[in-house]
Amino acid sequence: MGKSLRLTRIRNIDVKAHPTFLLALLWVIYYWGYAAGHGVQGVLFGVFILIAAFVSVVGHELAHCFVALRLGLKVHDITLLPIGGVARIEYVSLTPRQEIAIALAGPFLNLMVAGLLSPVIIGILVVRDFGDALSAFLVLQETGFSALIVHLWLVNVLLALFNLLPAFPMDGGRVMRAGFSMIWGRLQATKVAVLLGQGLAISLLLGGILLRDVSLPMVAAFILIAAYVEARMVHLENAMRTLPVGQFVLWDLGGVQPDSPLNYALRGGVRDVAVTVNGTVVGMLWQEAVHPLLNSASKLRVRDVMDTDVLTMDVDDSVYDVHRQMLTTGRPAIPITENGIYRGIFTTDRLIHVYRYLQSGKSPRERYRGFVEALGLAGR
Ligand SMILES: [Zn+2]
């Protein structure tokens, strides 16, 4: 996600801050230093609160990531934006229950933190002799340890509640989509969840205008973009399920043979090549494995370098299934066979052709309609 700054790395997951995260810092300096009238002490306190909020958000995202890792998914990184965090998890088709487990993990962590802090909050109320819970909010105007704890508690409660809103792309929206997809299928369920997300975004926008608050429209914009991206992805995924991979395979004249000299196999450039014997795939020659051996290629044979862990798929398998196999096995290419005989190779590059195909032959008007449909605005 753009030029984000890497802050730390937890269990192989990069935690990054998006440049716009600086806006949050500027706001804290303005609000606590100037608007609240606490000066330098206020700024320092504001930075502490920002760090507390930041740790809560990272904890929330890490909770999603850890559950995803347990379910065998690949997790790339966590990016912090001024309005929250985004975890990039490679969602390889999950059952609705698994999706719900991942989605609930984040808010659950925040509720747990808030729950653990509750005795401390009650302690503060008793010690400070506050008559009712409402006057406890007066602590929020202060700049001390008690105020920090109350802020931390509040941040976690709000994070949990906001994320549990039943609208896409909030976690609550994901839970709702997973539930709906058991009844209507994923595409229709996404449309409903996206529609509710848009309703929420419009309410936030109106709320922002009424309350003269800039942060609400910012959150609304984020929701709209995230909902659009998700709807688009599910739409593409659905289209990919209907396309046979044979249509997009790079047709190949039989691959290379195990006994061929390596440099003969590499004529025409280093790339991922299938190794075959009488039309049957017996291995793969990965460019990654070949690259370090280029200098000694004349002395080696294909069989010395090839990977014999064979995975092939059929011309009639869908592009979606083949792509999913590539993601789960980490292979950049899969040989495609017809009745067991090697026909050609499908690589990550071919996905661009699939995407172009799905876009081709459409007039601007149809593309616009596709866009509107992807947003879930048009009923069918
Ligand atoms: Zn979340």
Side-chain angles (χ1 to χ4, degrees):
M1 196 182 256
K3 284 194 187 106
S4 294
L5 178 75
R6 202 176 103 180
L7 300 171
T8 178
R9 195 175 168 87
I10 301 165
R11 275 217 234 164
N12 275 341
I13 303 166
D14 281 334
V15 179
K16 304 185 213 170
H18 194 260
T20 52
F21 192 68
L22 276 176
L23 288 175
L25 194 63
L26 289 177
W27 186 82
V28 158
I29 292 170
Y30 162 79
Y31 182 80
W32 286 96
Y34 176 75
H38 292 302
V40 180
Q41 195 196 344
V43 172
L44 268 174
F45 181 73
V47 171
F48 267 117
I49 290 181
L50 189 65
I51 293 172
F54 160 93
V55 170
S56 307
V57 170
V58 172
H60 174 106
E61 298 304 328
L62 279 176
H64 288 310
C65 294
F66 287 166
V67 175
L69 285 175
R70 265 203 100 95
L71 292 171
L73 300 190
K74 218 168 158 182
V75 175
H76 294 282
D77 49 28
I78 292 170
T79 304
L80 293 164
L81 301 163
I83 48 168
V86 179
R88 275 203 307 148
I89 298 171
E90 223 157 70
Y91 284 96
V92 190
S93 62
L94 293 170
T95 65
R97 287 178 78 149
Q98 290 173 323
E99 206 169 346
I100 290 172
I102 296 176
L104 286 182
F108 180 73
L109 182 111
N110 296 123
L111 286 178
M112 238 170 56
V113 171
L116 288 174
L117 285 175
S118 292
V120 185
I121 303 275
I122 293 168
I124 290 170
L125 294 187
V126 171
V127 169
R128 300 280 297 266
D129 205 17
F130 281 119
D132 55 291
L134 207 64
S135 58
F137 280 94
L138 290 173
V139 180
L140 292 174
Q141 308 294 326
E142 300 172 9
T143 57
F145 180 72
S146 310
L148 190 64
I149 296 292
V150 176
H151 268 105
L152 186 60
W153 181 83
L154 196 64
V155 162
N156 279 281
V157 169
L158 290 179
L159 267 175
L161 292 183
F162 181 66
N163 277 291
L164 284 173
L165 285 174
F168 218 80
M170 259 64 72
D171 299 326
R174 288 184 193 281
V175 172
M176 189 180 61
R177 184 202 27 207
F180 284 167
S181 67
M182 295 189 220
I183 316 166
W184 298 325
R186 205 171 143 79
L187 189 65
Q188 200 58 38
T190 304
K191 278 183 183 175
V192 175
V194 164
L195 201 66
L196 286 168
Q198 285 160 341
L200 177 70
I202 290 165
S203 334
L204 286 176
L205 200 69
L206 291 177
I209 293 167
L210 282 174
L211 299 170
R212 305 196 179 190
D213 181 298
V214 248
S215 59
L216 292 181
M218 261 174 68
V219 177
F222 169 74
I223 291 173
L224 282 179
I225 293 167
Y228 170 69
V229 170
E230 181 70 21
R232 188 85 210 117
M233 244 171 56
V234 172
H235 190 76
L236 269 177
E237 186 187 298
N238 232 51
M240 276 164 67
R241 279 177 202 272
T242 63
L243 296 173
V245 74
Q247 210 175 325
F248 301 95
V249 156
L250 191 63
W251 294 92
D252 184 343
L253 299 169
V256 294
Q257 314 218 313
D259 289 321
S260 302
L262 190 57
N263 52 0
Y264 170 79
L266 298 177
R267 70 207 190 290
V270 183
R271 60 197 191 287
D272 298 321
V273 191
V275 184
T276 60
V277 172
N278 298 326
T280 307
V281 180
V282 294
M284 277 300 293
L285 200 56
W286 301 113
Q287 49 171 313
E288 209 180 66
V290 169
H291 261 296
L293 305 169
L294 282 180
N295 289 328
S296 47
S298 55
K299 288 174 238 147
L300 292 166
R301 287 183 182 279
V302 168
R303 71 161 72 249
D304 302 329
V305 190
M306 75 182 199
D307 170 13
T308 52
D309 183 15
V310 176
L311 169 71
T312 63
M313 291 191 77
D314 191 81
V315 281
D316 289 327
D317 285 326
S318 74
V319 172
Y320 177 81
D321 285 338
V322 174
H323 182 223
R324 208 183 62 185
Q325 274 295 336
M326 290 164 86
L327 286 177
T328 42
T329 59
R331 288 163 202 249
I334 289 186
I336 306 297
T337 59
E338 188 174 13
N339 301 323
I341 299 296
Y342 177 62
R343 287 292 176 229
I345 200 154
F346 188 81
T347 58
T348 325
D349 303 347
R350 306 303 292 170
L351 284 170
I352 299 161
H353 297 269
V354 176
Y355 187 74
R356 278 204 198 123
Y357 172 83
L358 291 171
Q359 292 296 312
S360 69
K362 285 187 182 160
S363 63
R365 196 190 152 84
E366 279 170 318
R367 276 187 208 190
Y368 172 73
R369 215 185 131 61
F371 175 83
V372 172
E373 266 171 17
L375 278 175
L377 295 174
R380 231 188 276 189

